[in-house]
Amino acid sequence: MPTAPKPRQVISLLMLRHNTVVQASELIDELWPEFPPPSAVTTLQTYIYKFRKLLLKQGLGNLLQTQPGGYSLTIPSSSLDVSRFESRAEEGQELLQRGDSAGALACFEQALAVWRGPALADVETGGRLFSYVTRLEELRFRILELRIEADLEHGRHRELISELKALVLAHPLHEHLHGLLMVALHRSGRRHEALEVYQSLRQKMIDELGLEPGKELARLQHTLLSDSPGDPEEPPRRPRSGPAAPPGPAPAPVPQVLAHPDAPAGGVPAPLTPPAHPAPLAPPSPPVPPLRPVPVPGALVPAAPSSLAPPSPAPHLPVPGAGTAHVPAPSPVAVRDAIGTPAQLPAGLAGFVGRDDVLRELEAALRRPGGPAAEGTAAHIGVVTGPPGIGKSAVAVHLAHRLRPHFPDGQLYADLRGSCAEPRDPAEVIRGFLRALEVPPSRIPEGLEECGALFRSRTAGRRVLVLLDDVASSAQIRHLLPADPRCALLATGRRRMTALVEAERVELGPPSPEEALEILAVLAGRQRVDREPESAHRTVELLGRHPLALRCVGGRLAGRPGLSLAALADRLEATPRILDVARLGELDVRSRFAASYAVLGRQEQGVFRLLSMVGEAPFTASQAAESLSLPLQGLESALEVLADHHLLATDRCADGVGHYFFDRLTLAYARERLEETLAAPPVAEEVAAR
């Protein structure tokens, strides 16, 4: 392993993204988050070359492959600690969900045993690596909580006290950990210490946050104050559904611990959910009246008291996040409706601007006069296509939120990653939809055709909206189409998807100058734009009114209040690589173009690069063939492919002949690729050869 920090960053990102293509622009952004040096590409190629030499010495040179626009490191998942940890953690959660706390505990212990220190402890982290580290540390902490809860279910409350005390010292404001410590102390017969834990946390929260502890923890403290401790030796039991127990003596009641429902987002295994209905309670012995009202699903259910049990029953200890006691349970219909209505739409884009005509057109197509079922026998389909970064996803999500009241039976969402080297498998997506529609995993078929049929059955008679983002082609979504005319599907993609002949298609182009100025004003500040209107207009036009580029530049301006719009416009006009400025953290216009370029064939890539010499003026196929000295027939096919991927814009003039032209930033990217091909530094050639 290299000792220099930047090569270690490169290797770490390649390993964390193993078996996928990591774009060179992503690696550059990780190494130089703000302003990469002019030699960034060559320096990165040098790091890759040295890494490949290390692999060659170990006889593993074939693991690192150069791909169009980036690199991929092929490693079996089983050989990486992070993959083993995530696999065992997910398995443990599934076992815990099925009620196998012993198996879950073993999985959690094996998962945590993989950790030997903080994630990437000896690696400097940029924006991308930092996000991975944050996710892994959050997941590690979540699994630690679940392991502690599983330990409590097995009656190891005494053994956990010292560990929990150390954890609450390290996390002095973490309410759930304090709740677990209070439960462990109570079960060990140390109720006074459990109450002291609550008082100590409450004082810290008031002093540092000005807040009281949450209602779950307050309810736990109230229970400890009002009840006497139960039998500390009795292991806890998780409530399960099943047939009612016959009348007779029941075990002494004990506190229950359920999994905390808060789990980190993005790639983390799904949190545990309590059963939809509480377990039936064994009836008490005749002389003893019921102890409590029936709790809501997810609350802790005490068993009926034994005739041999002490007169003071053990307290019902609600762990934070475990639900609310002392209220009647909702009806089964209410529970079913609450769970069976998925609402998966992602959050809308803050500061969404314009696109009113597009929104009206698509909304009319998906709603139809009189409602979604007013016309036809098939679900209504809307498709939004356009160049990389033009705002397709923002428009679709914004429209989907506007349409939510018209589709009350649910909104389903999936990112199909069509612009990536490995788009998502439709079977994986449709199985996720079926789970969201409450189909038990045991009833979900293996085959894609069968899954599609079941999906159409589950959406029949319902008003469901399906939003599919970044679709690779119409074939990818064929089985994801609901069949009921009350439903609607909205898809986005970089390709035209002309095979969906029944769809209402909208091709997004750059916004109007007024809308583009509004995007800049929302992000950079309206006063700055009003103070320098000419420079603001010049900035917008230099960026080709490209929404993602405007967001990058607007965010950069917001972070530098002393930078004038005139100075920024001068820099944009002078820079030979304008895409270096059109990036901000995870937002990177160049990487969007690179993803579309990577899926082209070699011939189309070559034509794309050569066409950059034609410039911004519109041209016909015959004019391009003459200018580039290429045969017209082959060139026409390549031009259509480029237009299909929205890397060329098309128009028909008065003479009826099709014309092609570049958007400003697409042209800038094409010129970069041409310059890189012509320059071909020696290191890059050697790396490619190896």
Side-chain angles (χ1 to χ4, degrees):
M1 186 75 170
T3 55
K6 290 194 182 299
R8 295 173 74 87
Q9 283 179 268
V10 171
I11 294 172
S12 298
L13 189 55
L14 288 170
M15 293 183 72
L16 285 169
R17 296 268 299 276
H18 63 286
N19 303 333
T20 62
V21 177
V22 182
Q23 297 293 325
S25 58
E26 296 179 88
L27 291 164
I28 290 173
D29 189 54
E30 169 65 29
L31 296 172
W32 300 281
E34 287 297 327
F35 299 104
S39 61
V41 174
T42 303
T43 305
L44 172 62
Q45 291 169 341
T46 303
Y47 295 154
I48 294 292
Y49 172 60
K50 291 180 177 179
F51 182 31
R52 185 174 275 116
K53 285 184 68 176
L54 287 175
L55 292 174
L56 284 170
K57 289 180 180 178
Q58 304 296 323
L60 303 172
N62 61 331
L63 297 185
L64 181 61
Q65 299 292 328
T66 301
Q67 304 288 352
Y71 308 93
S72 65
L73 186 63
T74 305
I75 304 177
S77 296
S78 59
S79 65
L80 292 177
D81 286 347
V82 64
S83 298
R84 290 198 296 270
F85 164 68
E86 291 178 329
S87 173
R88 300 303 288 162
E90 184 174 2
E91 183 180 352
Q93 291 200 88
E94 291 176 355
L95 289 171
L96 197 59
Q97 212 165 12
R98 296 201 296 264
D100 184 1
S101 57
L105 179 59
C107 287
F108 294 148
E109 289 175 340
Q110 292 168 13
L112 294 169
V114 173
W115 287 76
R116 294 183 292 274
L120 299 183
D122 55 351
V123 178
E124 293 184 6
T125 57
R128 282 177 167 78
L129 283 180
F130 181 76
S131 66
Y132 280 104
V133 169
T134 302
R135 174 189 170 276
L136 288 171
E137 292 290 353
E138 286 288 341
L139 179 55
R140 176 192 190 183
F141 196 81
R142 166 69 176 149
I143 298 305
L144 176 62
E145 287 183 286
L146 290 177
R147 194 227 79 210
I148 291 172
E149 291 173 2
D151 272 332
L152 283 171
E153 288 204 2
H154 282 264
R156 300 175 184 170
H157 33 269
R158 289 191 176 90
E159 295 86 343
L160 286 171
I161 289 175
S162 59
E163 180 182 6
L164 282 167
K165 284 189 173 182
L167 285 171
V168 298
L169 285 174
H171 305 275
L173 298 174
H174 197 293
E175 293 186 53
H176 186 54
L177 285 178
H178 283 76
L180 293 173
L181 176 57
M182 291 169 68
V183 171
L185 287 168
H186 163 76
R187 291 182 180 177
S188 301
R190 296 157 68 174
R191 182 163 55 137
H192 67 288
E193 291 185 52
L195 293 169
E196 289 174 0
V197 169
Y198 177 85
Q199 292 299 335
S200 175
L201 172 64
R202 179 177 180 272
Q203 193 61 49
K204 288 191 188 81
M205 292 185 67
I206 292 173
D207 292 344
E208 299 184 27
L209 305 176
L211 298 173
E212 290 278 352
K215 58 183 180 181
E216 292 86 358
L217 204 62
R219 188 164 56 250
L220 173 58
Q221 184 244 11
H222 176 73
T223 304
L224 289 173
L225 286 171
S226 59
D227 291 317
S228 60
D231 181 2
E233 300 300 328
E234 181 73 20
R237 296 182 179 86
R238 181 181 300 275
R240 296 184 178 88
S241 59
V254 293
Q256 306 284 328
V257 176
L258 293 181
H260 192 279
D262 300 329
V268 182
L272 298 179
T273 54
H277 305 283
L281 301 182
S285 300
V288 183
L291 293 176
R292 302 187 183 279
V294 179
V296 298
L300 309 180
V301 183
S306 167
S307 58
L308 302 177
S312 297
H316 173 78
L317 292 184
V319 174
T324 304
H326 309 301
V327 295
S331 69
V333 174
V335 173
R336 182 198 65 203
D337 290 344
I339 296 176
T341 306
Q344 298 182 345
L345 297 181
L349 182 66
F352 182 87
V353 171
R355 304 292 193 183
D356 294 331
D357 293 341
V358 170
L359 292 170
R360 278 195 296 268
E361 181 180 350
L362 287 169
E363 186 171 5
L366 295 177
R367 284 181 54 190
R368 303 292 189 196
E375 297 179 9
T377 59
H380 301 144
I381 304 173
V383 175
V384 185
T385 63
I390 205 67
K392 302 179 290 296
S393 300
V395 166
V397 171
H398 187 77
L399 174 62
H401 280 286
R402 282 173 48 163
L403 290 171
R404 283 183 65 180
H406 304 283
F407 298 93
D409 295 323
Q411 306 89 43
L412 300 169
Y413 168 80
D415 180 358
L416 298 188
R417 298 198 291 266
S419 57
C420 299
E422 296 181 4
R424 284 187 71 181
D425 182 359
E428 173 197 349
V429 175
I430 201 167
R431 290 188 189 106
F433 284 173
L434 290 172
R435 289 192 294 270
L437 293 169
E438 291 236 282
V439 177
S442 59
R443 291 188 54 205
I444 297 178
E446 288 295 326
L448 179 58
E449 294 279 351
E450 293 82 0
C451 282
L454 182 57
F455 176 65
R456 292 189 292 274
S457 298
R458 294 294 288 190
T459 53
R462 295 189 178 191
R463 290 171 292 174
V464 175
L465 174 65
V466 180
L467 174 56
L468 302 176
D469 196 18
D470 195 11
V471 175
S473 66
S474 54
Q476 192 184 19
I477 64 174
R478 184 165 65 90
H479 294 286
L480 301 173
L481 290 170
D484 197 289
R486 301 171 184 83
C487 299
L489 180 137
L490 181 58
T492 75
R494 298 185 184 182
R495 301 188 65 179
R496 290 176 171 171
M497 290 185 279
T498 52
L500 295 172
V501 293
E502 70 276 30
E504 182 73 25
R505 284 190 298 276
V506 172
E507 292 195 15
L508 285 187
S512 66
E514 295 76 19
E515 290 179 350
L517 281 171
E518 183 65 15
I519 293 173
L520 188 64
V522 166
L523 294 166
R526 194 170 306 280
Q527 291 183 347
R528 294 172 80 174
V529 171
D530 293 342
R531 191 166 53 243
E532 300 180 80
E534 293 183 5
S535 297
H537 180 75
R538 189 157 60 105
T539 298
V540 163
E541 292 303 323
L542 285 169
L543 292 170
R545 306 200 303 273
H546 192 281
L548 182 58
L550 289 169
R551 291 192 173 276
C552 293
V553 169
R556 199 181 293 274
L557 284 167
R560 300 179 63 185
L563 178 62
S564 70
L565 282 169
L568 175 64
D570 290 342
R571 179 183 172 193
L572 289 172
E573 204 160 24
T575 181
R577 293 168 64 91
I578 195 170
L579 296 180
D580 287 344
V581 185
R583 60 186 299 175
L584 183 68
E586 295 292 321
L587 302 178
D588 182 7
V589 176
R590 182 185 284 114
S591 67
R592 308 295 178 92
F593 286 124
S596 292
Y597 177 82
V599 300
L600 298 175
R602 292 178 63 86
Q603 180 183 1
E604 289 79 17
Q605 288 181 346
V607 170
F608 177 72
R609 295 192 299 265
L610 292 173
L611 284 173
S612 66
M613 296 188 294
V614 176
E616 293 186 59
F619 56 88
T620 64
S622 58
Q623 289 171 340
E626 182 180 354
S627 175
L628 302 178
S629 301
L630 294 173
L632 178 60
Q633 185 174 1
L635 182 61
E636 284 180 329
S637 175
L639 291 174
E640 283 303 308
V641 171
L642 293 174
D644 183 54
H645 286 80
H646 287 95
L647 291 174
L648 275 180
T650 59
D651 194 10
R652 290 194 179 273
C653 297
D655 56 6
V657 178
H659 287 69
Y660 302 89
F661 59 93
F662 277 110
D663 291 327
R664 180 180 289 268
L665 294 191
T666 312
L667 177 60
Y669 179 74
R671 284 175 172 165
E672 286 186 7
R673 302 305 307 223
L674 179 63
E675 291 168 3
E676 291 173 8
T677 302
L678 295 175
V683 173
E685 291 177 358
E686 186 175 358
V687 170
R690 290 178 179 272

